Amino acid sequence: MNNRQYTKFAIYAIAVLCAALINEFVTKYVKKHIHEQGYLMVLIDMLVVILIFAPAFALVSKYTKKLSKAYLKTSKKVSSSKNGNLLGFAVAIIILFVLFAYIRHNINVINDLKRILPF
């Protein structure tokens, strides 16, 4: 996989994960304020997914080329071209992992790491 394809994949992956987190946050907010269960909640959940994922994918497809160029330039400044991209993607995935664990699964990764690793 060449560097540009890798960068496109990284941008899409980060966009999808961010959209999923936004979806979870909005869904929890709606569930907190709407005490309706059943089919109405299913329809609201479907609407939230459409309202979040459709614009996210439209923005990603529209700005992928610009983001790819900016991402490549920034990561090349950090280190060699492939290692810089890998480092940037790894940092983004780690941050998203922590957020997913906390928001979607109620797991506090930071507290668990503090207990395991002595700081």
Side-chain angles (χ1 to χ4, degrees):
M1 182 183 305
N2 69 20
N3 207 18
R4 190 161 303 279
Q5 288 175 327
Y6 175 74
T7 302
K8 276 187 174 183
F9 168 75
I11 291 169
Y12 280 119
I14 291 168
V16 167
L17 292 172
C18 288
L21 279 175
I22 293 168
N23 178 43
E24 185 70 21
F25 179 75
V26 171
T27 302
K28 281 185 178 182
Y29 181 80
V30 168
K31 284 182 181 179
K32 189 184 287 184
H33 295 290
I34 296 178
H35 303 291
E36 184 85 23
Q37 292 297 322
Y39 296 116
L40 179 62
M41 186 54 82
V42 172
L43 288 173
I44 291 171
D45 191 25
M46 290 172 66
L47 181 64
V48 167
V49 168
I50 290 170
L51 291 174
I52 291 172
F53 281 95
F57 289 122
L59 283 173
V60 167
S61 64
K62 182 178 179 182
Y63 293 107
T64 298
K65 196 169 192 176
K66 291 179 184 178
L67 289 172
S68 297
K69 288 180 183 179
Y71 188 75
L72 282 172
K73 284 181 183 180
T74 304
S75 58
K76 283 180 184 178
K77 290 178 184 177
V78 173
S79 71
S80 70
S81 62
K82 194 156 194 161
N83 289 337
N85 284 343
L86 186 60
L87 177 66
F89 184 59
V91 168
I93 291 297
I94 289 169
I95 292 169
L96 288 168
F97 180 84
V98 170
L99 291 172
F100 257 79
Y102 185 72
I103 293 172
R104 293 183 67 133
H105 301 279
N106 296 322
I107 299 171
N108 195 332
V109 176
I110 305 297
N111 283 344
D112 290 345
L113 285 176
K114 285 180 181 176
R115 278 188 291 198
I116 295 171
L117 302 172
F119 287 102

